[in-house]
Amino acid sequence: KVIYKKDFVYLSNQEKEVYKKMLKDQVLEITPNLEVTAQNAAVLSNKLSQMASGSLYIDDQMHFIKIHEAKLAQLEYIINNTQDNILIAYHYQADRILIEDYLKKHKLKTTVFDGSPDMIADWNNKKIPIMLIQPASAGFGLNLQNGGHTLVWYTLPWSLEQYIQTNGRLNRQGQKHSVMIHHLITSETIDLQILNALRTKNLTQNRLMK
């Protein structure tokens, strides 16, 4: 059994205005000498997704600024109220850095999945309480079902394949518990659109298979 949950988080009025400005103008002034521009719709959707998760890259995917901590606070709440090892799916490297730094400040140790057999074994032997995984690295056939049954989507991908495959790391044969899948959704942002798009794609794919 899989339980899907939407965990909504909310931005302050000031944080909302920053997001709305990027959405409307496709450009955001960081300093008098630095602005971030979305040249097309694809770039804009990425920028909005970054901002919904709390960051914004200001150059070639190397440097970023922090926009808010709303998702980080909700993630900490989920961790502190879950009696299970937790898998956290992130998309951008900025997400990983923000999550690691924030949880470290709150005395919560994280491990970034490296794909090694030793790390897979440690997770499945319940030696890793919090593991961060990027969907692109959650390959086919990866068995993580023995280490936990809770997955938190910090940032959702547009790719249905990545979404299904990552969920399937815990929801697979041998799992002894109901799998809880949390989706961190920043209210009034692109997050809910991405989740709805994934569900629409999944329904279409299932109909085609039938």
Side-chain angles (χ1 to χ4, degrees):
K1 180 180 178 181
V2 182
I3 302 169
Y4 297 93
K5 187 173 187 296
K6 292 194 287 284
D7 296 83
F8 283 95
V9 302
Y10 302 90
L11 303 179
S12 67
N13 289 335
Q14 183 177 1
E15 291 162 350
K16 284 181 187 177
E17 288 305 312
V18 173
Y19 180 90
K20 288 178 180 178
K21 182 169 178 57
M22 173 58 84
L23 175 61
K24 178 183 176 183
D25 301 336
Q26 297 187 214
V27 61
L28 186 65
E29 184 180 279
I30 308 301
T31 69
N33 299 317
L34 176 63
E35 62 181 29
V36 176
T37 303
Q39 299 91 343
N40 54 55
V43 174
L44 178 61
S45 70
N46 273 325
K47 295 297 183 188
L48 295 176
S49 176
Q50 292 164 21
M51 295 176 75
S53 289
S55 68
L56 179 64
Y57 282 100
I58 58 176
D59 56 16
D60 57 352
Q61 305 296 294
M62 292 294 291
H63 302 94
F64 65 91
I65 58 172
K66 183 162 66 175
I67 302 295
H68 64 81
E69 293 188 341
K71 279 194 179 182
L72 294 168
Q74 182 63 23
L75 177 62
E76 182 197 6
Y77 175 82
I78 292 171
I79 292 170
N80 288 332
N81 288 275
T82 301
Q83 295 181 333
D84 183 34
N85 294 336
I86 294 179
L87 198 62
I88 302 171
Y90 67 94
H91 184 64
Y92 304 100
Q93 289 301 320
D95 299 337
R96 176 185 59 77
I97 294 169
L98 289 178
I99 293 168
E100 286 187 290
D101 289 349
Y102 185 90
L103 295 183
K104 183 178 180 180
K105 284 190 293 186
H106 291 79
K107 313 300 182 184
L108 293 167
K109 182 183 178 182
T110 59
T111 300
V112 179
F113 180 65
D114 63 7
S116 68
D118 287 345
M119 189 169 289
I120 294 171
D122 283 347
W123 165 263
N124 281 322
N125 288 321
K126 301 185 183 297
K127 295 180 180 179
I128 301 176
I130 305 170
M131 188 161 74
L132 277 63
I133 190 166
Q134 195 172 36
S137 67
F140 290 88
L142 185 62
N143 296 305
L144 300 176
Q145 70 272 24
N146 294 319
H149 53 273
T150 303
L151 168 65
V152 179
W153 278 99
Y154 187 84
T155 312
L156 286 164
W158 284 101
S159 167
L160 176 62
E161 181 181 15
Q162 289 184 0
Y163 178 73
I164 291 175
Q165 285 298 316
T166 304
N167 291 345
R169 298 315 100 216
L170 300 183
N171 180 34
R172 60 195 299 108
Q173 188 174 0
Q175 176 60 257
K176 298 177 181 178
H177 303 273
S178 295
V179 175
M180 173 64 76
I181 299 178
H182 294 266
H183 305 89
L184 295 185
I185 305 294
T186 304
S187 181
E188 299 180 58
T189 71
I190 199 171
D191 276 350
L192 194 55
Q193 291 174 251
I194 297 174
L195 182 58
N196 289 337
L198 289 169
R199 287 178 172 171
T200 300
K201 290 177 185 177
N202 197 29
L203 285 171
T204 302
Q205 180 172 288
N206 289 338
R207 286 172 185 154
L208 286 170
M209 292 297 290
K210 288 179 181 179

